[in-house]
Amino acid sequence: RDLNLAREMLAAFAGVGVAYFWQRLVVSGDRKLRSAVEDLCEQRPGANAMQSSREACEMSLKAFLARDDGLTEDDARKNFGHDLSKLLERILQITPNNQIFSEAKGKLNSFPNVGDRYAGKTYHDSDLWDAYKVAQAVAAEVIRAFTKRNTRGRIATRF
């Protein structure tokens, strides 16, 4: 259900020309997740999946703050940059009892530093999948927060 609702939201955003910062982030985050999936499904999973997963996670967190905390594009750039830890710290101030965001904070070490994107690093397949799982869980939790629909009891949410 959450996935279908997310698809409906994305289709609606794409059809009307996405006007709000948070909506653009949701659409871009979805594209990054899809890119990570393509890289992971190659015969030999591609290292680009790591950066795509990291960017999807960042965009999802910023989308949450843009919609629910008034984060602007300028504030995102000035106050958070690409710092996933800072983004999650702010989200946990707003939603201190959120289990998924709390667990994600402990899994940020799955991602390399943002500066490593130019280093041409290679990763073990398991590291690529771990990063994707974190990004996917964070993105799903953001959509759940927006829709107020919680189907977590019916699916596995551990990462």
Short mmCIF file of all heavy atoms in Angstrom, two decimals, residues 33 36 40 45 49-50 53-54 57 103-104 106-112 123-138 158-159:
data_model
loop_
_atom_site.label_atom_id
_atom_site.label_comp_id
_atom_site.label_asym_id
_atom_site.label_seq_id
_atom_site.Cartn_x
_atom_site.Cartn_y
_atom_site.Cartn_z
N LEU A 33 17.04 6.14 -5.96
CA LEU A 33 16.80 4.76 -5.52
C LEU A 33 16.69 3.82 -6.71
O LEU A 33 17.25 2.72 -6.70
CB LEU A 33 15.53 4.66 -4.68
CG LEU A 33 15.66 5.00 -3.20
CD1 LEU A 33 14.29 4.92 -2.53
CD2 LEU A 33 16.63 4.08 -2.51
N ALA A 36 20.07 3.16 -8.09
CA ALA A 36 20.80 2.21 -7.25
C ALA A 36 20.35 0.78 -7.55
O ALA A 36 21.17 -0.14 -7.65
CB ALA A 36 20.60 2.53 -5.77
N LEU A 40 22.62 -2.30 -8.75
CA LEU A 40 22.70 -3.50 -7.92
C LEU A 40 22.29 -4.76 -8.68
O LEU A 40 22.74 -5.86 -8.34
CB LEU A 40 21.82 -3.34 -6.67
CG LEU A 40 22.35 -2.37 -5.63
CD1 LEU A 40 21.27 -2.04 -4.61
CD2 LEU A 40 23.58 -2.94 -4.94
N PRO A 45 27.39 -6.09 -9.39
CA PRO A 45 26.82 -4.82 -8.91
C PRO A 45 27.81 -3.66 -9.03
O PRO A 45 28.98 -3.78 -8.68
CB PRO A 45 26.49 -5.12 -7.45
CG PRO A 45 26.22 -6.58 -7.43
CD PRO A 45 27.22 -7.16 -8.42
N ALA A 49 26.03 2.37 -7.21
CA ALA A 49 24.89 2.13 -6.31
C ALA A 49 25.13 2.77 -4.95
O ALA A 49 24.19 3.21 -4.29
CB ALA A 49 24.64 0.64 -6.15
N MET A 50 26.38 2.82 -4.52
CA MET A 50 26.70 3.41 -3.21
C MET A 50 26.35 4.89 -3.20
O MET A 50 25.67 5.37 -2.30
CB MET A 50 28.18 3.21 -2.89
CG MET A 50 28.61 3.79 -1.56
SD MET A 50 27.80 3.01 -0.13
CE MET A 50 28.73 1.49 -0.02
N SER A 53 22.57 5.49 -3.53
CA SER A 53 21.88 5.22 -2.26
C SER A 53 22.10 6.35 -1.27
O SER A 53 21.17 6.78 -0.59
CB SER A 53 22.39 3.90 -1.65
OG SER A 53 22.03 2.82 -2.47
N ARG A 54 23.31 6.85 -1.19
CA ARG A 54 23.62 7.95 -0.28
C ARG A 54 22.81 9.20 -0.65
O ARG A 54 22.23 9.85 0.20
CB ARG A 54 25.12 8.27 -0.33
CG ARG A 54 25.53 9.25 0.74
CD ARG A 54 26.97 9.73 0.58
NE ARG A 54 27.45 10.36 1.77
CZ ARG A 54 26.99 11.52 2.25
NH1 ARG A 54 26.03 12.14 1.62
NH2 ARG A 54 27.47 12.02 3.36
N CYS A 57 19.13 8.80 0.22
CA CYS A 57 18.94 8.98 1.65
C CYS A 57 18.94 10.47 2.00
O CYS A 57 18.06 10.96 2.71
CB CYS A 57 20.03 8.23 2.42
SG CYS A 57 19.80 8.23 4.20
N GLU A 103 17.32 4.07 14.13
CA GLU A 103 18.17 2.98 13.64
C GLU A 103 19.04 3.46 12.47
O GLU A 103 20.20 3.06 12.35
CB GLU A 103 17.32 1.79 13.21
CG GLU A 103 16.72 1.05 14.39
CD GLU A 103 15.90 -0.17 13.97
OE1 GLU A 103 16.19 -0.74 12.89
OE2 GLU A 103 14.98 -0.53 14.70
N ALA A 104 18.48 4.29 11.63
CA ALA A 104 19.25 4.81 10.49
C ALA A 104 20.46 5.61 10.96
O ALA A 104 21.53 5.52 10.35
CB ALA A 104 18.36 5.66 9.59
N GLY A 106 22.30 5.06 13.43
CA GLY A 106 23.36 4.11 13.75
C GLY A 106 23.94 3.39 12.55
O GLY A 106 24.95 2.71 12.66
N LYS A 107 23.30 3.55 11.39
CA LYS A 107 23.75 2.85 10.17
C LYS A 107 24.40 3.80 9.16
O LYS A 107 24.72 3.38 8.05
CB LYS A 107 22.57 2.17 9.48
CG LYS A 107 21.91 1.10 10.32
CD LYS A 107 22.77 -0.13 10.37
CE LYS A 107 22.04 -1.25 11.08
NZ LYS A 107 22.82 -2.47 11.10
N LEU A 108 24.61 5.05 9.54
CA LEU A 108 25.19 6.00 8.60
C LEU A 108 26.60 5.63 8.16
O LEU A 108 27.07 6.06 7.10
CB LEU A 108 25.19 7.42 9.17
CG LEU A 108 23.81 8.06 9.32
CD1 LEU A 108 23.95 9.47 9.88
CD2 LEU A 108 23.06 8.07 8.00
N ASN A 109 27.24 4.79 8.95
CA ASN A 109 28.58 4.33 8.56
C ASN A 109 28.53 3.42 7.33
O ASN A 109 29.56 3.06 6.79
CB ASN A 109 29.29 3.65 9.72
CG ASN A 109 28.55 2.43 10.23
OD1 ASN A 109 27.39 2.19 9.87
ND2 ASN A 109 29.20 1.67 11.07
N SER A 110 27.33 3.05 6.89
CA SER A 110 27.18 2.29 5.65
C SER A 110 27.60 3.12 4.45
O SER A 110 27.95 2.58 3.40
CB SER A 110 25.72 1.86 5.45
OG SER A 110 25.31 1.00 6.48
N PHE A 111 27.53 4.44 4.60
CA PHE A 111 27.83 5.35 3.49
C PHE A 111 29.23 5.92 3.62
O PHE A 111 29.67 6.25 4.72
CB PHE A 111 26.84 6.52 3.48
CG PHE A 111 25.41 6.11 3.30
CD1 PHE A 111 24.51 6.26 4.34
CD2 PHE A 111 24.96 5.59 2.10
CE1 PHE A 111 23.18 5.90 4.18
CE2 PHE A 111 23.64 5.22 1.94
CZ PHE A 111 22.75 5.37 2.98
N PRO A 112 29.90 6.12 2.49
CA PRO A 112 31.20 6.79 2.52
C PRO A 112 31.00 8.30 2.70
O PRO A 112 29.87 8.80 2.58
CB PRO A 112 31.78 6.49 1.14
CG PRO A 112 30.58 6.34 0.26
CD PRO A 112 29.51 5.72 1.14
N TYR A 123 33.54 -1.24 -3.86
CA TYR A 123 32.89 -1.69 -2.62
C TYR A 123 32.53 -3.16 -2.74
O TYR A 123 32.25 -3.66 -3.83
CB TYR A 123 31.61 -0.88 -2.36
CG TYR A 123 31.85 0.60 -2.28
CD1 TYR A 123 31.66 1.43 -3.38
CD2 TYR A 123 32.29 1.19 -1.10
CE1 TYR A 123 31.89 2.79 -3.31
CE2 TYR A 123 32.52 2.55 -1.02
CZ TYR A 123 32.32 3.34 -2.13
OH TYR A 123 32.55 4.70 -2.06
N HIS A 124 32.48 -3.83 -1.61
CA HIS A 124 31.98 -5.20 -1.58
C HIS A 124 30.47 -5.16 -1.86
O HIS A 124 29.79 -4.21 -1.50
CB HIS A 124 32.22 -5.83 -0.19
CG HIS A 124 33.66 -6.04 0.13
ND1 HIS A 124 34.41 -7.04 -0.45
CD2 HIS A 124 34.49 -5.35 0.94
CE1 HIS A 124 35.64 -6.98 0.01
NE2 HIS A 124 35.73 -5.96 0.85
N ASP A 125 29.99 -6.22 -2.49
CA ASP A 125 28.56 -6.29 -2.80
C ASP A 125 27.71 -6.10 -1.55
O ASP A 125 26.69 -5.40 -1.58
CB ASP A 125 28.23 -7.63 -3.45
CG ASP A 125 28.84 -7.78 -4.84
OD1 ASP A 125 29.48 -6.82 -5.34
OD2 ASP A 125 28.68 -8.87 -5.42
N SER A 126 28.12 -6.69 -0.45
CA SER A 126 27.34 -6.59 0.79
C SER A 126 27.27 -5.14 1.27
O SER A 126 26.24 -4.71 1.81
CB SER A 126 27.91 -7.50 1.87
OG SER A 126 29.24 -7.11 2.19
N ASP A 127 28.33 -4.37 1.08
CA ASP A 127 28.32 -2.95 1.47
C ASP A 127 27.36 -2.15 0.61
O ASP A 127 26.66 -1.26 1.10
CB ASP A 127 29.73 -2.36 1.37
CG ASP A 127 30.69 -2.96 2.38
OD1 ASP A 127 30.23 -3.44 3.44
OD2 ASP A 127 31.90 -2.96 2.09
N LEU A 128 27.32 -2.48 -0.68
CA LEU A 128 26.38 -1.79 -1.58
C LEU A 128 24.94 -2.06 -1.17
O LEU A 128 24.11 -1.16 -1.13
CB LEU A 128 26.62 -2.25 -3.02
CG LEU A 128 27.97 -1.90 -3.64
CD1 LEU A 128 28.13 -2.56 -5.01
CD2 LEU A 128 28.15 -0.39 -3.74
N TRP A 129 24.65 -3.33 -0.85
CA TRP A 129 23.29 -3.69 -0.45
C TRP A 129 22.93 -3.09 0.91
O TRP A 129 21.80 -2.65 1.12
CB TRP A 129 23.12 -5.21 -0.44
CG TRP A 129 22.91 -5.75 -1.82
CD1 TRP A 129 23.82 -6.38 -2.61
CD2 TRP A 129 21.70 -5.67 -2.58
NE1 TRP A 129 23.26 -6.70 -3.82
CE2 TRP A 129 21.95 -6.28 -3.83
CE3 TRP A 129 20.44 -5.15 -2.34
CZ2 TRP A 129 20.99 -6.37 -4.83
CZ3 TRP A 129 19.47 -5.25 -3.34
CH2 TRP A 129 19.75 -5.86 -4.55
N ASP A 130 23.89 -3.04 1.83
CA ASP A 130 23.62 -2.43 3.14
C ASP A 130 23.26 -0.95 2.99
O ASP A 130 22.31 -0.46 3.62
CB ASP A 130 24.82 -2.57 4.07
CG ASP A 130 25.01 -3.98 4.60
OD1 ASP A 130 24.07 -4.81 4.47
OD2 ASP A 130 26.11 -4.27 5.12
N ALA A 131 23.99 -0.24 2.15
CA ALA A 131 23.71 1.18 1.93
C ALA A 131 22.33 1.36 1.29
O ALA A 131 21.57 2.25 1.69
CB ALA A 131 24.80 1.79 1.05
N TYR A 132 22.01 0.50 0.34
CA TYR A 132 20.70 0.58 -0.30
C TYR A 132 19.58 0.34 0.71
O TYR A 132 18.56 1.04 0.70
CB TYR A 132 20.61 -0.41 -1.46
CG TYR A 132 19.22 -0.46 -2.04
CD1 TYR A 132 18.74 0.58 -2.83
CD2 TYR A 132 18.36 -1.53 -1.77
CE1 TYR A 132 17.46 0.57 -3.34
CE2 TYR A 132 17.09 -1.55 -2.28
CZ TYR A 132 16.63 -0.50 -3.07
OH TYR A 132 15.35 -0.53 -3.56
N LYS A 133 19.75 -0.65 1.57
CA LYS A 133 18.72 -0.95 2.57
C LYS A 133 18.45 0.25 3.47
O LYS A 133 17.30 0.54 3.80
CB LYS A 133 19.10 -2.17 3.40
CG LYS A 133 18.96 -3.48 2.65
CD LYS A 133 19.15 -4.67 3.55
CE LYS A 133 20.61 -4.93 3.79
NZ LYS A 133 20.87 -6.17 4.54
N VAL A 134 19.50 0.95 3.88
CA VAL A 134 19.33 2.14 4.72
C VAL A 134 18.56 3.20 3.94
O VAL A 134 17.59 3.79 4.45
CB VAL A 134 20.69 2.69 5.21
CG1 VAL A 134 20.51 4.01 5.93
CG2 VAL A 134 21.38 1.67 6.11
N ALA A 135 18.98 3.47 2.70
CA ALA A 135 18.32 4.49 1.89
C ALA A 135 16.85 4.15 1.66
O ALA A 135 15.98 5.02 1.75
CB ALA A 135 19.05 4.64 0.55
N GLN A 136 16.59 2.89 1.37
CA GLN A 136 15.21 2.46 1.11
C GLN A 136 14.35 2.61 2.38
O GLN A 136 13.21 3.08 2.30
CB GLN A 136 15.20 1.02 0.62
CG GLN A 136 13.81 0.54 0.26
CD GLN A 136 13.82 -0.91 -0.17
OE1 GLN A 136 14.46 -1.74 0.49
NE2 GLN A 136 13.14 -1.22 -1.25
N ALA A 137 14.86 2.20 3.51
CA ALA A 137 14.10 2.30 4.77
C ALA A 137 13.81 3.77 5.11
O ALA A 137 12.70 4.10 5.53
CB ALA A 137 14.87 1.63 5.90
N VAL A 138 14.80 4.63 4.92
CA VAL A 138 14.61 6.06 5.21
C VAL A 138 13.58 6.66 4.26
O VAL A 138 12.67 7.37 4.69
CB VAL A 138 15.96 6.81 5.14
CG1 VAL A 138 15.75 8.32 5.08
CG2 VAL A 138 16.83 6.44 6.33
N ARG A 158 13.56 -3.99 9.15
CA ARG A 158 14.91 -4.00 9.71
C ARG A 158 15.94 -3.87 8.61
O ARG A 158 15.77 -4.40 7.53
CB ARG A 158 15.15 -5.30 10.48
CG ARG A 158 14.33 -5.40 11.71
CD ARG A 158 14.94 -4.52 12.79
NE ARG A 158 14.14 -4.56 13.98
CZ ARG A 158 13.40 -3.54 14.38
NH1 ARG A 158 13.35 -2.44 13.71
NH2 ARG A 158 12.74 -3.62 15.50
N PHE A 159 16.98 -3.15 8.91
CA PHE A 159 18.06 -3.04 7.92
C PHE A 159 19.40 -3.23 8.55
O PHE A 159 19.71 -3.37 9.58
CB PHE A 159 18.03 -1.71 7.16
CG PHE A 159 17.80 -0.48 7.98
CD1 PHE A 159 18.85 0.24 8.49
CD2 PHE A 159 16.52 -0.05 8.26
CE1 PHE A 159 18.64 1.38 9.23
CE2 PHE A 159 16.29 1.10 8.98
CZ PHE A 159 17.35 1.82 9.46
#
